[in-house]
Amino acid sequence: MSMPSILVPLPSRDFDPTEVGVPGSHLLEQGFDLAFATPDGKPAQADPIMVTGKGLGLLAGALMARRQDIALYTALIRRPAFLNPVLYHEARESDFMGLLLPGGHAKGMRTYLESADLQRLVADFFKAGKPVAAICHGVLLAARSKDSAGGVSVLHGRKTTGLLKRQEMLAWQLTRAWMADYYRTYGTPMQTEVESFLAAPGDFIAGPLPLFRDSFQKPEHGFFLKDGNYLSARWPGDAHAFALALPEHFGG
């Protein structure tokens, strides 16, 4: 018998395929159900550049999603739950056991990151004490979500990690000559904005230098951080270690 559903909100377009495919497929293998939410109730579309590498030039091999992770993503998006998402404004915390917040950096992510409906939903999960997990820009959505009682971020007083400023700026500097600001979701680096919501800048934990992407065979290359009912990770290179931590985090 499947466990109760974990909700995975997504933007209409531009989410990172690794950050959905890797943790999503592992949760399904472990017996969890997944439900998805989008702003228009239509299936979400991943960032095509991360799927195909088109436009990345000689850096495609280093920057795009890896073949095995694209295979997991491709299988996941064929599932009925992915093809029939609920609307953001119809999703209710009480209907789900946990919340998984993927990331992505292209401009289509802004509808997800700026959604008042999602920010209220995230706050509801934290208020209920239910498990929440966020990776990359999913951390920014959590940071922007405010406790209705105190008006501060749900991450205020917590430890978190997330996409590092050094990672964001390096990817932008390497590609800006032909891709302009593709790697800059906003003018302010994500780490800088997240830190502004925390009780202290030191509550953002950078983790070890992200030199290599992890895998299910080598999860030690990845990094994640757990603080009570909240689990966070930095980038697609942490996705496998993050995925392996999710079943226990979600109570499996």
Side-chain angles (χ1 to χ4, degrees):
M1 183 176 179
S2 295
M3 298 181 186
S5 292
I6 295 164
L7 180 63
V8 187
L10 295 171
S12 295
R13 60 184 177 87
D14 284 347
F15 68 84
D16 185 273
T18 301
E19 293 171 5
V20 173
V22 171
S25 63
H26 185 66
L27 285 167
L28 289 167
E29 287 177 1
Q30 297 302 307
F32 290 85
D33 279 339
L34 300 181
F36 297 86
T38 59
D40 55 7
K42 297 178 181 178
Q45 304 291 323
D47 179 350
I49 294 175
M50 289 295 97
V51 175
T52 66
K54 186 176 180 180
L56 292 173
L58 296 176
L59 297 175
L63 296 178
M64 69 177 286
R66 292 180 300 187
R67 182 178 303 174
Q68 61 268 35
D69 299 333
I70 293 174
L72 295 176
Y73 149 78
T74 301
L76 183 67
I77 64 174
R78 294 175 180 152
R79 297 182 70 91
F82 187 92
L83 295 171
N84 296 280
V86 300
L87 291 160
Y88 283 175
H89 73 269
E90 293 180 350
R92 298 289 181 270
E93 164 271 316
S94 57
D95 293 334
F96 305 97
M97 67 168 295
L99 184 65
L100 174 60
L101 304 175
H105 56 266
K107 299 300 183 289
M109 287 293 295
R110 288 180 174 180
T111 57
Y112 164 85
L113 297 170
E114 298 170 8
S115 169
D117 289 320
L118 287 186
Q119 291 172 21
R120 283 192 295 270
L121 185 65
V122 173
D124 287 344
F125 272 87
F126 274 91
K127 184 177 180 180
K130 290 184 176 180
V132 177
I135 182 170
C136 195
H137 278 70
V139 172
L140 181 57
L141 173 57
R144 289 177 171 181
S145 303
K146 296 183 178 180
D147 183 332
S148 59
V152 298
S153 170
V154 296
L155 298 188
H156 190 86
R158 291 179 179 265
K159 306 286 188 186
T160 190
T161 192
L163 181 68
L164 305 181
K165 179 179 178 180
R166 72 180 73 169
Q167 292 177 293
E168 183 176 350
M169 298 305 289
L170 177 60
W172 173 65
Q173 289 166 357
L174 287 172
T175 61
R176 63 178 178 170
W178 70 93
M179 300 192 76
D181 62 349
Y182 165 68
Y183 273 101
R184 302 297 304 280
T185 314
Y186 295 100
T188 301
M190 197 203 87
Q191 178 180 345
T192 301
E193 183 175 347
V194 170
E195 287 175 342
S196 74
F197 289 105
L198 305 179
D203 287 341
F204 187 99
I205 310 299
L209 194 64
L211 294 175
F212 305 101
R213 294 191 185 213
D214 70 0
S215 65
F216 285 129
Q217 293 72 38
K218 294 184 178 180
E220 66 273 12
H221 288 169
F223 174 72
F224 63 87
L225 186 70
K226 185 172 173 64
D227 185 339
N229 67 317
Y230 172 63
L231 186 76
S232 57
R234 303 172 299 183
W235 68 306
D238 294 334
H240 298 79
F242 178 71
L244 290 170
L246 290 178
E248 182 178 357
H249 181 65
F250 284 125

